[in-house]
Structure formats: C-alpha cells, structure tokens
Amino acid sequence: MSVNSKTLSTKIEEIFLGILRFFILITLGISLVGAGIFAYQGMKGSTARPLEYTSLQQPVTADAFIEDLKHDEQEKSTKDVPSADERSESSSKRVKPLEMQLDRQVATISEFLSTYDSSLNNAVAFKQGRREEAYELANSKSEVDLVAYAKGQADFFDKVFKDKNTIATVRQRVTQNSEYLGEFFKKTLAYYPDNIRAQRKAKEDFEAEERQRVIQEQAQATMWYYVAGGMFAAFLLVSLVLVLIKIERNLRVRTQGV
C-alpha cells in the first residue's frame, strides 16, 4: 500500500514538474524574444535623426496676390526691417548685380505710380529698404542668394504692377477711395517678404518639432533598453531555475535507484 502511494506521489510530482518545465520553456522563449524586440526598438530610437526640411524659399508667385485683389480681400501686413550694420564690406563691384535688380524694382514701381500721377517719395530710401530685406531674407549673404532674392521680388513686382487687370482694378478703386493706392502699394510691398518669412517660420517650426521628436525617441530608446535588459535578466533567472529543477530530478532518480 505504501509502495503504491509512493509511486502515485512520484507520478504526480513528475507530472507537476513536467508542466512546470513546459511553462518555464514558454517563459524562456517569451523573455528571449521580448529582449530582442525591445533591444531593436532601442537601437532604432537611439539612431533617430532630425529630418531635413527642403521646402524653404519656394517661389512666391503673383497669381495668388492678384486673385486676392480681385476678391477685394483686405489684408494688413507688417514687416520688420533689419539694421544695415553689415553693409560696409560690400564693394560696388560685388553688389552691382544686386543693384541692377533693385533698380528693376524701382523702375517697375515708378512706371506703375506714374499712371496715377504719383511717384516714389524717396527712391534711395526705397532701394535701401529692399536691400535690407534681401540681406535679412535671402538664404545667405552671398551675392548669388542676395541677387536671387532681389530678382524674385523684381519678377513679382513686374507681374503685379504690369498686370492690365490689376491696373484697371486699382484705377477703379482709386476713383472710389483716394487712399486706396497707398493701401494697395503697402500691401504689395509686404506680400513677397511676408511669404518668405512665413516659409522660414515653417522651416524653424519643422526643425523644432523634429528636434523634440528625436529627443523623445532617444529617451524612449533608453527605456526600451531597460526593458530589454530586464527581460534578458528574467531569461537568465528562469534558465537557472530550469537547470536546478533538472539537477534535482536527476538526483532524485539516482536516490531512488539506490
């Protein structure tokens, strides 16, 4: 009776140990796979880099401005003109192409205003203002970028101030409101630099968001490394338990054999 009871107890114990070993093996597999997955996530996060913004200095076209004018949308724009402290290094030979584009702007605007028996109050001050805008808003202070900005603005002025529909619209509204010509002139001058500023602001916002994203991903990568380390430690611990169980069973078999 006692032998049968001992045999039954041994079988139950073996069944229990078998089930325990099965769950231990599953736990080992999950721990090892999880450690690999979280380690991979940590590697991805730790190598995160900000994306490059490639949309700066898109061409500012006059079509949208003219369309706004047709619908008589009243917009007020302000601009912040920078100081001219950095102009002393520019020789007359170096800035000649820039001056040519500024002269284009003055000529186009003077021609437009002359149709309304008006003129620029101070052409020199006007050129200085556009020159300072170029130094502020061009991609760099190199001659190529300064001229590119001034040329873009000159092309914009050509399209707006020489557009027949625009001239007719302005003439009609000037007859209704004598102050409209000044309002239109200020609005037109502000449109091009304001669009460039908006593009630059979009670039700065994008880069700030990217920097924040990278910081968050790198911080999260550290957490993934901790989780992966914890799961690998669990793998080692469970492996040790499995080895101890195996040793215990072998010793039990040998004891019973004796």
Side-chain angles (χ1 to χ4, degrees), residues 101-124 126-127 154 157-158 160-162 167 171 181 184-185 189:
Q101 297 301 327
L102 296 176
D103 289 339
R104 272 187 64 201
Q105 298 179 26
V106 172
T108 300
I109 292 173
S110 297
E111 180 183 352
F112 173 79
L113 293 177
S114 66
T115 61
Y116 303 94
D117 298 326
S118 184
S119 63
L120 283 171
N121 293 331
N122 190 335
V124 175
F126 176 85
K127 283 182 62 176
F157 287 159
D158 283 345
V160 173
F161 289 122
K162 294 181 180 180
I167 294 174
R171 185 181 299 278
L181 180 61
F184 169 77
F185 185 64
L189 291 186

PDB file of all heavy atoms in Angstrom, residues 101-124 126-127 154 157-158 160-162 167 171 181 184-185 189:
ATOM      1  N   GLN A 101      19.000  94.566 -59.872  1.00  0.00           N
ATOM      2  CA  GLN A 101      17.664  94.068 -59.553  1.00  0.00           C
ATOM      3  C   GLN A 101      16.856  95.096 -58.754  1.00  0.00           C
ATOM      4  O   GLN A 101      15.648  95.241 -58.947  1.00  0.00           O
ATOM      5  CB  GLN A 101      17.768  92.753 -58.778  1.00  0.00           C
ATOM      6  CG  GLN A 101      18.406  91.621 -59.551  1.00  0.00           C
ATOM      7  CD  GLN A 101      17.667  91.291 -60.833  1.00  0.00           C
ATOM      8  OE1 GLN A 101      16.439  91.406 -60.915  1.00  0.00           O
ATOM      9  NE2 GLN A 101      18.412  90.908 -61.857  1.00  0.00           N
ATOM     10  N   LEU A 102      17.534  95.807 -57.867  1.00  0.00           N
ATOM     11  CA  LEU A 102      16.846  96.858 -57.110  1.00  0.00           C
ATOM     12  C   LEU A 102      16.396  97.980 -58.042  1.00  0.00           C
ATOM     13  O   LEU A 102      15.303  98.545 -57.863  1.00  0.00           O
ATOM     14  CB  LEU A 102      17.765  97.405 -56.010  1.00  0.00           C
ATOM     15  CG  LEU A 102      18.164  96.410 -54.919  1.00  0.00           C
ATOM     16  CD1 LEU A 102      19.152  97.053 -53.944  1.00  0.00           C
ATOM     17  CD2 LEU A 102      16.943  95.907 -54.159  1.00  0.00           C
ATOM     18  N   ASP A 103      17.232  98.299 -59.009  1.00  0.00           N
ATOM     19  CA  ASP A 103      16.844  99.319 -59.997  1.00  0.00           C
ATOM     20  C   ASP A 103      15.638  98.854 -60.809  1.00  0.00           C
ATOM     21  O   ASP A 103      14.766  99.656 -61.167  1.00  0.00           O
ATOM     22  CB  ASP A 103      18.015  99.622 -60.928  1.00  0.00           C
ATOM     23  CG  ASP A 103      19.119 100.403 -60.218  1.00  0.00           C
ATOM     24  OD1 ASP A 103      18.827 101.040 -59.181  1.00  0.00           O
ATOM     25  OD2 ASP A 103      20.277 100.365 -60.700  1.00  0.00           O
ATOM     26  N   ARG A 104      15.588  97.559 -61.104  1.00  0.00           N
ATOM     27  CA  ARG A 104      14.403  96.999 -61.795  1.00  0.00           C
ATOM     28  C   ARG A 104      13.142  97.246 -60.984  1.00  0.00           C
ATOM     29  O   ARG A 104      12.099  97.642 -61.523  1.00  0.00           O
ATOM     30  CB  ARG A 104      14.566  95.501 -61.996  1.00  0.00           C
ATOM     31  CG  ARG A 104      15.263  95.053 -63.245  1.00  0.00           C
ATOM     32  CD  ARG A 104      15.192  93.543 -63.355  1.00  0.00           C
ATOM     33  NE  ARG A 104      13.814  93.096 -63.494  1.00  0.00           N
ATOM     34  CZ  ARG A 104      13.390  91.860 -63.222  1.00  0.00           C
ATOM     35  NH1 ARG A 104      14.250  90.953 -62.778  1.00  0.00           N
ATOM     36  NH2 ARG A 104      12.127  91.530 -63.387  1.00  0.00           N
ATOM     37  N   GLN A 105      13.240  97.004 -59.691  1.00  0.00           N
ATOM     38  CA  GLN A 105      12.076  97.212 -58.819  1.00  0.00           C
ATOM     39  C   GLN A 105      11.641  98.672 -58.818  1.00  0.00           C
ATOM     40  O   GLN A 105      10.449  98.983 -58.929  1.00  0.00           O
ATOM     41  CB  GLN A 105      12.415  96.761 -57.398  1.00  0.00           C
ATOM     42  CG  GLN A 105      12.745  95.286 -57.268  1.00  0.00           C
ATOM     43  CD  GLN A 105      13.105  94.883 -55.852  1.00  0.00           C
ATOM     44  OE1 GLN A 105      12.688  95.512 -54.895  1.00  0.00           O
ATOM     45  NE2 GLN A 105      13.903  93.825 -55.710  1.00  0.00           N
ATOM     46  N   VAL A 106      12.612  99.548 -58.684  1.00  0.00           N
ATOM     47  CA  VAL A 106      12.288 100.988 -58.668  1.00  0.00           C
ATOM     48  C   VAL A 106      11.651 101.402 -59.988  1.00  0.00           C
ATOM     49  O   VAL A 106      10.650 102.143 -60.011  1.00  0.00           O
ATOM     50  CB  VAL A 106      13.556 101.817 -58.398  1.00  0.00           C
ATOM     51  CG1 VAL A 106      13.280 103.305 -58.580  1.00  0.00           C
ATOM     52  CG2 VAL A 106      14.070 101.553 -56.991  1.00  0.00           C
ATOM     53  N   ALA A 107      12.196 100.930 -61.107  1.00  0.00           N
ATOM     54  CA  ALA A 107      11.663 101.300 -62.419  1.00  0.00           C
ATOM     55  C   ALA A 107      10.230 100.800 -62.593  1.00  0.00           C
ATOM     56  O   ALA A 107       9.358 101.521 -63.096  1.00  0.00           O
ATOM     57  CB  ALA A 107      12.568 100.744 -63.514  1.00  0.00           C
ATOM     58  N   THR A 108       9.988  99.560 -62.186  1.00  0.00           N
ATOM     59  CA  THR A 108       8.642  98.988 -62.334  1.00  0.00           C
ATOM     60  C   THR A 108       7.625  99.749 -61.497  1.00  0.00           C
ATOM     61  O   THR A 108       6.525 100.086 -61.972  1.00  0.00           O
ATOM     62  CB  THR A 108       8.647  97.507 -61.912  1.00  0.00           C
ATOM     63  OG1 THR A 108       9.556  96.785 -62.739  1.00  0.00           O
ATOM     64  CG2 THR A 108       7.262  96.899 -62.026  1.00  0.00           C
ATOM     65  N   ILE A 109       7.986 100.042 -60.260  1.00  0.00           N
ATOM     66  CA  ILE A 109       7.063 100.747 -59.371  1.00  0.00           C
ATOM     67  C   ILE A 109       6.853 102.182 -59.830  1.00  0.00           C
ATOM     68  O   ILE A 109       5.726 102.703 -59.801  1.00  0.00           O
ATOM     69  CB  ILE A 109       7.586 100.693 -57.922  1.00  0.00           C
ATOM     70  CG1 ILE A 109       7.518  99.253 -57.416  1.00  0.00           C
ATOM     71  CG2 ILE A 109       6.787 101.609 -57.014  1.00  0.00           C
ATOM     72  CD1 ILE A 109       8.148  99.036 -56.065  1.00  0.00           C
ATOM     73  N   SER A 110       7.920 102.838 -60.279  1.00  0.00           N
ATOM     74  CA  SER A 110       7.792 104.220 -60.754  1.00  0.00           C
ATOM     75  C   SER A 110       6.881 104.290 -61.966  1.00  0.00           C
ATOM     76  O   SER A 110       6.046 105.203 -62.088  1.00  0.00           O
ATOM     77  CB  SER A 110       9.181 104.780 -61.093  1.00  0.00           C
ATOM     78  OG  SER A 110      10.002 104.831 -59.947  1.00  0.00           O
ATOM     79  N   GLU A 111       7.024 103.304 -62.853  1.00  0.00           N
ATOM     80  CA  GLU A 111       6.158 103.262 -64.036  1.00  0.00           C
ATOM     81  C   GLU A 111       4.701 103.058 -63.633  1.00  0.00           C
ATOM     82  O   GLU A 111       3.791 103.683 -64.190  1.00  0.00           O
ATOM     83  CB  GLU A 111       6.616 102.140 -64.969  1.00  0.00           C
ATOM     84  CG  GLU A 111       5.779 102.010 -66.230  1.00  0.00           C
ATOM     85  CD  GLU A 111       6.218 100.843 -67.094  1.00  0.00           C
ATOM     86  OE1 GLU A 111       7.268 100.235 -66.786  1.00  0.00           O
ATOM     87  OE2 GLU A 111       5.504 100.520 -68.070  1.00  0.00           O
ATOM     88  N   PHE A 112       4.474 102.186 -62.662  1.00  0.00           N
ATOM     89  CA  PHE A 112       3.105 101.943 -62.198  1.00  0.00           C
ATOM     90  C   PHE A 112       2.510 103.197 -61.564  1.00  0.00           C
ATOM     91  O   PHE A 112       1.386 103.594 -61.870  1.00  0.00           O
ATOM     92  CB  PHE A 112       3.112 100.789 -61.194  1.00  0.00           C
ATOM     93  CG  PHE A 112       1.796 100.559 -60.523  1.00  0.00           C
ATOM     94  CD1 PHE A 112       0.772  99.877 -61.164  1.00  0.00           C
ATOM     95  CD2 PHE A 112       1.560 101.031 -59.241  1.00  0.00           C
ATOM     96  CE1 PHE A 112      -0.455  99.670 -60.550  1.00  0.00           C
ATOM     97  CE2 PHE A 112       0.353 100.818 -58.609  1.00  0.00           C
ATOM     98  CZ  PHE A 112      -0.666 100.137 -59.267  1.00  0.00           C
ATOM     99  N   LEU A 113       3.257 103.845 -60.686  1.00  0.00           N
ATOM    100  CA  LEU A 113       2.732 105.024 -59.987  1.00  0.00           C
ATOM    101  C   LEU A 113       2.511 106.188 -60.933  1.00  0.00           C
ATOM    102  O   LEU A 113       1.617 107.022 -60.696  1.00  0.00           O
ATOM    103  CB  LEU A 113       3.705 105.425 -58.864  1.00  0.00           C
ATOM    104  CG  LEU A 113       3.837 104.443 -57.691  1.00  0.00           C
ATOM    105  CD1 LEU A 113       4.888 104.930 -56.710  1.00  0.00           C
ATOM    106  CD2 LEU A 113       2.488 104.266 -56.984  1.00  0.00           C
ATOM    107  N   SER A 114       3.311 106.227 -61.994  1.00  0.00           N
ATOM    108  CA  SER A 114       3.161 107.351 -62.928  1.00  0.00           C
ATOM    109  C   SER A 114       1.811 107.339 -63.632  1.00  0.00           C
ATOM    110  O   SER A 114       1.320 108.384 -64.062  1.00  0.00           O
ATOM    111  CB  SER A 114       4.292 107.314 -63.965  1.00  0.00           C
ATOM    112  OG  SER A 114       4.172 106.160 -64.792  1.00  0.00           O
ATOM    113  N   THR A 115       1.207 106.146 -63.740  1.00  0.00           N
ATOM    114  CA  THR A 115      -0.117 106.069 -64.375  1.00  0.00           C
ATOM    115  C   THR A 115      -1.196 106.699 -63.507  1.00  0.00           C
ATOM    116  O   THR A 115      -2.308 106.946 -63.976  1.00  0.00           O
ATOM    117  CB  THR A 115      -0.489 104.604 -64.659  1.00  0.00           C
ATOM    118  OG1 THR A 115      -0.550 103.888 -63.432  1.00  0.00           O
ATOM    119  CG2 THR A 115       0.541 103.957 -65.573  1.00  0.00           C
ATOM    120  N   TYR A 116      -0.865 106.948 -62.250  1.00  0.00           N
ATOM    121  CA  TYR A 116      -1.812 107.590 -61.336  1.00  0.00           C
ATOM    122  C   TYR A 116      -1.309 108.969 -60.902  1.00  0.00           C
ATOM    123  O   TYR A 116      -1.712 109.497 -59.869  1.00  0.00           O
ATOM    124  CB  TYR A 116      -2.016 106.712 -60.090  1.00  0.00           C
ATOM    125  CG  TYR A 116      -2.490 105.320 -60.416  1.00  0.00           C
ATOM    126  CD1 TYR A 116      -1.570 104.279 -60.558  1.00  0.00           C
ATOM    127  CD2 TYR A 116      -3.835 105.041 -60.614  1.00  0.00           C
ATOM    128  CE1 TYR A 116      -1.987 102.994 -60.876  1.00  0.00           C
ATOM    129  CE2 TYR A 116      -4.256 103.764 -60.924  1.00  0.00           C
ATOM    130  CZ  TYR A 116      -3.332 102.745 -61.063  1.00  0.00           C
ATOM    131  OH  TYR A 116      -3.759 101.481 -61.383  1.00  0.00           O
ATOM    132  N   ASP A 117      -0.395 109.531 -61.731  1.00  0.00           N
ATOM    133  CA  ASP A 117       0.184 110.841 -61.436  1.00  0.00           C
ATOM    134  C   ASP A 117       0.818 110.865 -60.049  1.00  0.00           C
ATOM    135  O   ASP A 117       0.670 111.843 -59.298  1.00  0.00           O
ATOM    136  CB  ASP A 117      -0.883 111.946 -61.549  1.00  0.00           C
ATOM    137  CG  ASP A 117      -1.445 112.046 -62.957  1.00  0.00           C
ATOM    138  OD1 ASP A 117      -0.674 111.818 -63.914  1.00  0.00           O
ATOM    139  OD2 ASP A 117      -2.640 112.339 -63.108  1.00  0.00           O
ATOM    140  N   SER A 118       1.513 109.784 -59.714  1.00  0.00           N
ATOM    141  CA  SER A 118       2.185 109.696 -58.428  1.00  0.00           C
ATOM    142  C   SER A 118       3.610 109.200 -58.650  1.00  0.00           C
ATOM    143  O   SER A 118       3.995 108.843 -59.769  1.00  0.00           O
ATOM    144  CB  SER A 118       1.436 108.746 -57.486  1.00  0.00           C
ATOM    145  OG  SER A 118       2.044 108.725 -56.210  1.00  0.00           O
ATOM    146  N   SER A 119       4.411 109.198 -57.590  1.00  0.00           N
ATOM    147  CA  SER A 119       5.798 108.755 -57.713  1.00  0.00           C
ATOM    148  C   SER A 119       6.322 108.353 -56.343  1.00  0.00           C
ATOM    149  O   SER A 119       5.695 108.632 -55.310  1.00  0.00           O
ATOM    150  CB  SER A 119       6.681 109.858 -58.309  1.00  0.00           C
ATOM    151  OG  SER A 119       6.699 110.988 -57.441  1.00  0.00           O
ATOM    152  N   LEU A 120       7.477 107.676 -56.340  1.00  0.00           N
ATOM    153  CA  LEU A 120       8.123 107.327 -55.075  1.00  0.00           C
ATOM    154  C   LEU A 120       8.622 108.598 -54.399  1.00  0.00           C
ATOM    155  O   LEU A 120       9.254 109.452 -55.030  1.00  0.00           O
ATOM    156  CB  LEU A 120       9.304 106.395 -55.330  1.00  0.00           C
ATOM    157  CG  LEU A 120       8.980 104.930 -55.632  1.00  0.00           C
ATOM    158  CD1 LEU A 120      10.240 104.199 -56.067  1.00  0.00           C
ATOM    159  CD2 LEU A 120       8.370 104.245 -54.425  1.00  0.00           C
ATOM    160  N   ASN A 121       8.348 108.719 -53.122  1.00  0.00           N
ATOM    161  CA  ASN A 121       8.801 109.912 -52.395  1.00  0.00           C
ATOM    162  C   ASN A 121      10.324 109.955 -52.290  1.00  0.00           C
ATOM    163  O   ASN A 121      10.928 111.016 -52.359  1.00  0.00           O
ATOM    164  CB  ASN A 121       8.190 109.934 -50.995  1.00  0.00           C
ATOM    165  CG  ASN A 121       6.678 110.135 -51.044  1.00  0.00           C
ATOM    166  OD1 ASN A 121       6.170 110.764 -51.972  1.00  0.00           O
ATOM    167  ND2 ASN A 121       5.979 109.591 -50.059  1.00  0.00           N
ATOM    168  N   ASN A 122      10.932 108.777 -52.103  1.00  0.00           N
ATOM    169  CA  ASN A 122      12.378 108.713 -51.937  1.00  0.00           C
ATOM    170  C   ASN A 122      12.875 107.385 -52.493  1.00  0.00           C
ATOM    171  O   ASN A 122      12.833 106.363 -51.810  1.00  0.00           O
ATOM    172  CB  ASN A 122      12.743 108.856 -50.457  1.00  0.00           C
ATOM    173  CG  ASN A 122      14.230 109.041 -50.239  1.00  0.00           C
ATOM    174  OD1 ASN A 122      15.040 108.620 -51.059  1.00  0.00           O
ATOM    175  ND2 ASN A 122      14.597 109.671 -49.122  1.00  0.00           N
ATOM    176  N   ALA A 123      13.336 107.422 -53.740  1.00  0.00           N
ATOM    177  CA  ALA A 123      13.766 106.191 -54.392  1.00  0.00           C
ATOM    178  C   ALA A 123      14.985 105.588 -53.696  1.00  0.00           C
ATOM    179  O   ALA A 123      15.124 104.364 -53.616  1.00  0.00           O
ATOM    180  CB  ALA A 123      14.079 106.459 -55.862  1.00  0.00           C
ATOM    181  N   VAL A 124      15.864 106.430 -53.169  1.00  0.00           N
ATOM    182  CA  VAL A 124      17.058 105.932 -52.486  1.00  0.00           C
ATOM    183  C   VAL A 124      16.668 105.164 -51.226  1.00  0.00           C
ATOM    184  O   VAL A 124      17.185 104.076 -50.952  1.00  0.00           O
ATOM    185  CB  VAL A 124      18.001 107.099 -52.137  1.00  0.00           C
ATOM    186  CG1 VAL A 124      19.186 106.583 -51.309  1.00  0.00           C
ATOM    187  CG2 VAL A 124      18.497 107.785 -53.403  1.00  0.00           C
ATOM    188  N   PHE A 126      13.805 103.791 -50.680  1.00  0.00           N
ATOM    189  CA  PHE A 126      13.087 102.587 -51.106  1.00  0.00           C
ATOM    190  C   PHE A 126      14.083 101.476 -51.442  1.00  0.00           C
ATOM    191  O   PHE A 126      13.926 100.330 -51.011  1.00  0.00           O
ATOM    192  CB  PHE A 126      12.221 102.895 -52.321  1.00  0.00           C
ATOM    193  CG  PHE A 126      11.523 101.688 -52.884  1.00  0.00           C
ATOM    194  CD1 PHE A 126      10.313 101.263 -52.351  1.00  0.00           C
ATOM    195  CD2 PHE A 126      12.087 100.972 -53.933  1.00  0.00           C
ATOM    196  CE1 PHE A 126       9.677 100.142 -52.861  1.00  0.00           C
ATOM    197  CE2 PHE A 126      11.456  99.853 -54.435  1.00  0.00           C
ATOM    198  CZ  PHE A 126      10.252  99.438 -53.901  1.00  0.00           C
ATOM    199  N   LYS A 127      15.125 101.800 -52.190  1.00  0.00           N
ATOM    200  CA  LYS A 127      16.139 100.799 -52.535  1.00  0.00           C
ATOM    201  C   LYS A 127      16.836 100.266 -51.280  1.00  0.00           C
ATOM    202  O   LYS A 127      17.107  99.069 -51.180  1.00  0.00           O
ATOM    203  CB  LYS A 127      17.171 101.410 -53.481  1.00  0.00           C
ATOM    204  CG  LYS A 127      16.709 101.548 -54.920  1.00  0.00           C
ATOM    205  CD  LYS A 127      17.814 102.107 -55.797  1.00  0.00           C
ATOM    206  CE  LYS A 127      19.010 101.196 -55.846  1.00  0.00           C
ATOM    207  NZ  LYS A 127      20.061 101.683 -56.780  1.00  0.00           N
ATOM    208  N   ALA A 154      11.696  91.397 -57.818  1.00  0.00           N
ATOM    209  CA  ALA A 154      11.526  92.205 -59.027  1.00  0.00           C
ATOM    210  C   ALA A 154      10.561  91.529 -59.994  1.00  0.00           C
ATOM    211  O   ALA A 154       9.708  92.194 -60.610  1.00  0.00           O
ATOM    212  CB  ALA A 154      12.879  92.439 -59.701  1.00  0.00           C
ATOM    213  N   PHE A 157       7.072  92.054 -58.681  1.00  0.00           N
ATOM    214  CA  PHE A 157       6.594  93.409 -58.974  1.00  0.00           C
ATOM    215  C   PHE A 157       6.194  93.543 -60.441  1.00  0.00           C
ATOM    216  O   PHE A 157       5.177  94.173 -60.769  1.00  0.00           O
ATOM    217  CB  PHE A 157       7.674  94.433 -58.628  1.00  0.00           C
ATOM    218  CG  PHE A 157       7.865  94.650 -57.154  1.00  0.00           C
ATOM    219  CD1 PHE A 157       9.049  95.186 -56.669  1.00  0.00           C
ATOM    220  CD2 PHE A 157       6.864  94.320 -56.253  1.00  0.00           C
ATOM    221  CE1 PHE A 157       9.234  95.382 -55.304  1.00  0.00           C
ATOM    222  CE2 PHE A 157       7.041  94.510 -54.884  1.00  0.00           C
ATOM    223  CZ  PHE A 157       8.221  95.040 -54.410  1.00  0.00           C
ATOM    224  N   ASP A 158       6.996  92.956 -61.343  1.00  0.00           N
ATOM    225  CA  ASP A 158       6.675  93.016 -62.766  1.00  0.00           C
ATOM    226  C   ASP A 158       5.315  92.393 -63.041  1.00  0.00           C
ATOM    227  O   ASP A 158       4.505  92.935 -63.817  1.00  0.00           O
ATOM    228  CB  ASP A 158       7.745  92.291 -63.588  1.00  0.00           C
ATOM    229  CG  ASP A 158       9.014  93.113 -63.746  1.00  0.00           C
ATOM    230  OD1 ASP A 158       8.969  94.332 -63.475  1.00  0.00           O
ATOM    231  OD2 ASP A 158      10.061  92.540 -64.129  1.00  0.00           O
ATOM    232  N   VAL A 160       2.780  91.907 -60.954  1.00  0.00           N
ATOM    233  CA  VAL A 160       1.651  92.597 -60.323  1.00  0.00           C
ATOM    234  C   VAL A 160       1.428  93.980 -60.935  1.00  0.00           C
ATOM    235  O   VAL A 160       0.326  94.313 -61.387  1.00  0.00           O
ATOM    236  CB  VAL A 160       1.869  92.723 -58.807  1.00  0.00           C
ATOM    237  CG1 VAL A 160       0.772  93.582 -58.175  1.00  0.00           C
ATOM    238  CG2 VAL A 160       1.876  91.353 -58.154  1.00  0.00           C
ATOM    239  N   PHE A 161       2.474  94.781 -60.970  1.00  0.00           N
ATOM    240  CA  PHE A 161       2.318  96.184 -61.366  1.00  0.00           C
ATOM    241  C   PHE A 161       2.146  96.369 -62.865  1.00  0.00           C
ATOM    242  O   PHE A 161       1.757  97.455 -63.309  1.00  0.00           O
ATOM    243  CB  PHE A 161       3.521  97.000 -60.887  1.00  0.00           C
ATOM    244  CG  PHE A 161       3.558  97.197 -59.401  1.00  0.00           C
ATOM    245  CD1 PHE A 161       4.654  96.773 -58.665  1.00  0.00           C
ATOM    246  CD2 PHE A 161       2.503  97.788 -58.728  1.00  0.00           C
ATOM    247  CE1 PHE A 161       4.694  96.944 -57.289  1.00  0.00           C
ATOM    248  CE2 PHE A 161       2.532  97.963 -57.358  1.00  0.00           C
ATOM    249  CZ  PHE A 161       3.627  97.544 -56.639  1.00  0.00           C
ATOM    250  N   LYS A 162       2.425  95.330 -63.663  1.00  0.00           N
ATOM    251  CA  LYS A 162       2.231  95.425 -65.109  1.00  0.00           C
ATOM    252  C   LYS A 162       1.033  94.611 -65.583  1.00  0.00           C
ATOM    253  O   LYS A 162       0.790  94.523 -66.800  1.00  0.00           O
ATOM    254  CB  LYS A 162       3.500  94.968 -65.837  1.00  0.00           C
ATOM    255  CG  LYS A 162       4.693  95.887 -65.589  1.00  0.00           C
ATOM    256  CD  LYS A 162       5.924  95.422 -66.354  1.00  0.00           C
ATOM    257  CE  LYS A 162       7.107  96.362 -66.104  1.00  0.00           C
ATOM    258  NZ  LYS A 162       8.327  95.940 -66.838  1.00  0.00           N
ATOM    259  N   ILE A 167      -4.106  96.840 -62.913  1.00  0.00           N
ATOM    260  CA  ILE A 167      -4.106  98.292 -63.132  1.00  0.00           C
ATOM    261  C   ILE A 167      -5.534  98.825 -63.230  1.00  0.00           C
ATOM    262  O   ILE A 167      -5.874  99.853 -62.625  1.00  0.00           O
ATOM    263  CB  ILE A 167      -3.312  98.635 -64.402  1.00  0.00           C
ATOM    264  CG1 ILE A 167      -1.837  98.279 -64.201  1.00  0.00           C
ATOM    265  CG2 ILE A 167      -3.471 100.106 -64.761  1.00  0.00           C
ATOM    266  CD1 ILE A 167      -0.986  98.440 -65.453  1.00  0.00           C
ATOM    267  N   ARG A 171      -7.261 101.314 -60.540  1.00  0.00           N
ATOM    268  CA  ARG A 171      -7.762 102.606 -61.028  1.00  0.00           C
ATOM    269  C   ARG A 171      -9.220 102.815 -60.638  1.00  0.00           C
ATOM    270  O   ARG A 171      -9.625 103.895 -60.207  1.00  0.00           O
ATOM    271  CB  ARG A 171      -7.599 102.674 -62.543  1.00  0.00           C
ATOM    272  CG  ARG A 171      -7.975 104.041 -63.127  1.00  0.00           C
ATOM    273  CD  ARG A 171      -7.802 104.032 -64.639  1.00  0.00           C
ATOM    274  NE  ARG A 171      -6.420 103.764 -65.010  1.00  0.00           N
ATOM    275  CZ  ARG A 171      -5.471 104.703 -65.023  1.00  0.00           C
ATOM    276  NH1 ARG A 171      -5.766 105.948 -64.671  1.00  0.00           N
ATOM    277  NH2 ARG A 171      -4.245 104.389 -65.373  1.00  0.00           N
ATOM    278  N   LEU A 181      -4.769 103.708 -53.286  1.00  0.00           N
ATOM    279  CA  LEU A 181      -3.496 103.491 -53.967  1.00  0.00           C
ATOM    280  C   LEU A 181      -2.379 103.248 -52.942  1.00  0.00           C
ATOM    281  O   LEU A 181      -1.561 102.335 -53.110  1.00  0.00           O
ATOM    282  CB  LEU A 181      -3.147 104.699 -54.839  1.00  0.00           C
ATOM    283  CG  LEU A 181      -1.823 104.588 -55.623  1.00  0.00           C
ATOM    284  CD1 LEU A 181      -1.877 103.405 -56.576  1.00  0.00           C
ATOM    285  CD2 LEU A 181      -1.546 105.887 -56.377  1.00  0.00           C
ATOM    286  N   PHE A 184      -2.889  99.781 -51.376  1.00  0.00           N
ATOM    287  CA  PHE A 184      -2.510  98.727 -52.313  1.00  0.00           C
ATOM    288  C   PHE A 184      -0.993  98.631 -52.430  1.00  0.00           C
ATOM    289  O   PHE A 184      -0.418  97.534 -52.464  1.00  0.00           O
ATOM    290  CB  PHE A 184      -3.128  99.011 -53.681  1.00  0.00           C
ATOM    291  CG  PHE A 184      -2.594  98.146 -54.782  1.00  0.00           C
ATOM    292  CD1 PHE A 184      -3.013  96.836 -54.921  1.00  0.00           C
ATOM    293  CD2 PHE A 184      -1.646  98.648 -55.681  1.00  0.00           C
ATOM    294  CE1 PHE A 184      -2.507  96.025 -55.930  1.00  0.00           C
ATOM    295  CE2 PHE A 184      -1.138  97.843 -56.680  1.00  0.00           C
ATOM    296  CZ  PHE A 184      -1.571  96.535 -56.812  1.00  0.00           C
ATOM    297  N   PHE A 185      -0.332  99.792 -52.479  1.00  0.00           N
ATOM    298  CA  PHE A 185       1.116  99.822 -52.618  1.00  0.00           C
ATOM    299  C   PHE A 185       1.790  99.153 -51.414  1.00  0.00           C
ATOM    300  O   PHE A 185       2.692  98.321 -51.555  1.00  0.00           O
ATOM    301  CB  PHE A 185       1.585 101.270 -52.761  1.00  0.00           C
ATOM    302  CG  PHE A 185       3.049 101.412 -53.037  1.00  0.00           C
ATOM    303  CD1 PHE A 185       3.607 100.921 -54.208  1.00  0.00           C
ATOM    304  CD2 PHE A 185       3.881 102.019 -52.121  1.00  0.00           C
ATOM    305  CE1 PHE A 185       4.963 101.045 -54.457  1.00  0.00           C
ATOM    306  CE2 PHE A 185       5.237 102.147 -52.359  1.00  0.00           C
ATOM    307  CZ  PHE A 185       5.778 101.655 -53.536  1.00  0.00           C
ATOM    308  N   LEU A 189       4.022  95.626 -51.444  1.00  0.00           N
ATOM    309  CA  LEU A 189       5.401  95.574 -50.967  1.00  0.00           C
ATOM    310  C   LEU A 189       5.586  94.512 -49.888  1.00  0.00           C
ATOM    311  O   LEU A 189       6.629  93.864 -49.809  1.00  0.00           O
ATOM    312  CB  LEU A 189       5.832  96.939 -50.413  1.00  0.00           C
ATOM    313  CG  LEU A 189       5.995  98.088 -51.402  1.00  0.00           C
ATOM    314  CD1 LEU A 189       6.566  99.309 -50.694  1.00  0.00           C
ATOM    315  CD2 LEU A 189       6.884  97.700 -52.570  1.00  0.00           C
TER     316      LEU A 189
END
